[in-house]
């Protein structure tokens, strides 16, 4: 309210306001923009949040040193008249569910890069990692990670959009997105604008900034594992039917 009355911009923000802004934007960019407009631009711009997401000490969020290295690669490619084409990949890795205190900060809770430890938050059970792989080069690098405890498709879609914005700002063109075949990832792709429905298949979605098409690639190894599990369940079901009712001449499974 003081800033609005003085009609001057605010150069610094209170840590609690930073945490609130990052958390709200993490769950919904539309909600963040709505709240920011309703309160007379009292919250920082989205571009400011992208700077807060970055870290240089290995903490949760976008790694600033990695992003700087990627920007240097873009500059080198442009000198040669080329552009950097990359594929964005995401995956979740299980971690030990444990809360620890090092004397200064508590670790082990869900952390999305807000920098504030919430004792009411659940303990993290997974690390969600994003990585870019160069298509017209021979390098790959993780750009950020988050400690989570389950996440909806919509929340993951917001993180994907943030990654695309961050990479687009430094000049990297993402042409594909690779993920596993979990149901939440299908919901994420649907929120992004793609469709995995066989009756209405659309394996691409528009980039949130430039609008160019980004194609979806489901991880082949994971899809083969899912297919193997389905075959195993079918064989197991048939064997149970045979044990209970004897071997009929024909089995029909709908």
């Amino acid at each position: 309210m003081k800033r609005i009355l003085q009609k001057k911009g605010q150069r610094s923000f209170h840590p609690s306001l930073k945490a609130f802004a990052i958390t709200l934007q993490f769950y919904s960019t539309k909600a963040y923009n709505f709240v920011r407009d309703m309160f007379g631009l009292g919250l920082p711009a989205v571009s400011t949040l992208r700077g807060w997401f970055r870290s240089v000490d290995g903490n949760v969020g976008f790694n600033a040193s990695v992003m700087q290295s990627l920007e240097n690669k873009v500059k080198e490619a442009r000198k040669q008249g080329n552009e950097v084409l990359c594929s964005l990949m995401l995956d979740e890795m299980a971690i030990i569910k444990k809360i620890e205190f090092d004397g200064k900060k508590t670790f082990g809770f869900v952390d999305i890069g807000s920098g504030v430890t919430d004792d009411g938050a659940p303990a993290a059970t997974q690390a969600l990692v994003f990585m870019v792989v160069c298509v017209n080069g021979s390098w790959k690098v993780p750009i950020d990670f988050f400690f989570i405890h389950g996440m909806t498709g919509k929340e993951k879609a917001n993180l994907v959009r943030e990654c695309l914005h961050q990479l687009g700002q430094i000049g990297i063109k993402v042409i594909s997105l690779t993920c596993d075949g979990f149901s939440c990832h299908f919901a994420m792709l649907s929120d992004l604008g793609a469709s995995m429905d066989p009756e209405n298949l659309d394996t691409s979605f528009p980039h949130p900034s430039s609008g160019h098409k980004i194609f979806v690639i489901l991880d082949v190894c994971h899809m083969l594992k899912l297919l193997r599990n389905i075959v195993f369940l079918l064989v197991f079901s048939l064997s149970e039917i045979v044990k209970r009712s004897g071997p009929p001449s024909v089995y029909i499974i709908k």
Side-chain angles (χ1 to χ4, degrees):
M1 291 301 298
K2 291 180 180 179
R3 184 190 61 80
I4 293 175
L5 292 175
Q6 294 174 356
K7 297 182 179 180
K8 293 182 179 180
Q10 185 172 347
R11 296 183 178 179
S12 61
F13 293 88
H14 193 273
S16 61
L17 183 59
K18 287 184 179 181
F20 170 75
I22 291 176
T23 304
L24 179 60
Q25 198 271 342
F26 165 77
Y27 283 108
S28 175
T29 302
K30 291 182 179 179
Y32 181 82
N33 292 332
F34 175 78
V35 173
R36 186 169 183 264
D37 293 338
M38 288 294 294
F39 286 91
L41 304 181
L43 294 176
V46 176
S47 58
T48 303
L49 294 184
R50 294 191 182 116
W52 293 346
F53 267 120
R54 297 184 180 183
S55 65
V56 293
D57 50 5
N59 287 331
V60 174
F62 292 86
N63 192 290
S65 58
V66 171
M67 300 302 286
Q68 183 61 50
S69 298
L70 293 178
E71 189 173 0
N72 293 335
K73 285 187 174 293
V74 171
K75 292 179 180 178
E76 293 176 1
R78 287 177 176 175
K79 289 180 180 179
Q80 302 175 359
N82 300 323
E83 61 179 348
V84 179
L85 304 178
C86 289
S87 173
L88 178 63
M89 300 183 178
L90 69 144
D91 198 5
E92 299 170 2
M93 292 172 283
I95 59 176
I96 297 176
K97 186 177 180 180
K98 187 176 182 181
I99 306 298
E100 291 187 347
F101 182 68
D102 65 353
K104 297 181 179 180
K105 185 178 179 181
T106 304
F107 297 90
F109 293 107
V110 170
D111 191 350
I112 57 174
S114 63
V116 176
T117 302
D118 184 6
D119 293 340
T125 56
Q126 295 171 319
L128 176 62
V129 182
F130 288 84
M131 181 174 68
V132 291
V133 180
C134 187
V135 176
N136 56 347
S138 57
W139 54 266
K140 57 184 176 180
V141 60
I143 59 173
D144 67 345
F145 71 96
F146 303 94
F147 291 131
I148 63 173
H149 178 69
M151 187 175 286
T152 65
K154 187 176 182 63
E155 293 168 355
K156 286 187 178 180
N158 285 331
L159 287 180
V160 170
R161 291 191 186 96
E162 186 61 35
C163 287
L164 295 175
H165 281 302
Q166 294 268 5
L167 295 172
Q169 278 188 332
I170 62 177
I172 288 182
K173 184 177 182 180
V174 178
I175 61 175
S176 66
L177 173 66
T178 302
C179 61
D180 292 338
F182 293 120
S183 58
C184 64
H185 287 169
F186 282 81
M188 173 193 72
L189 295 174
S190 178
D191 190 81
L192 289 170
S195 175
M196 295 291 106
D197 184 4
E199 301 295 333
N200 186 27
L201 188 63
D202 185 4
T203 59
S204 66
F205 61 91
H207 191 283
S209 298
S210 62
H212 72 269
K213 283 188 175 183
I214 298 178
F215 293 91
V216 177
I217 301 175
L218 297 178
D219 182 62
V220 177
C221 294
H222 187 259
M223 300 307 293
L224 288 175
K225 290 180 181 178
L226 295 178
L227 182 61
R228 178 199 62 187
N229 294 340
I230 293 175
V231 173
F232 173 79
L233 289 175
L234 287 174
V235 173
F236 178 79
S237 299
L238 281 173
S239 62
E240 288 297 315
I241 293 175
V242 171
K243 289 179 181 178
R244 295 181 181 181
S245 58
S249 57
V250 177
Y251 287 106
I252 300 177
I253 298 181
K254 184 177 181 181

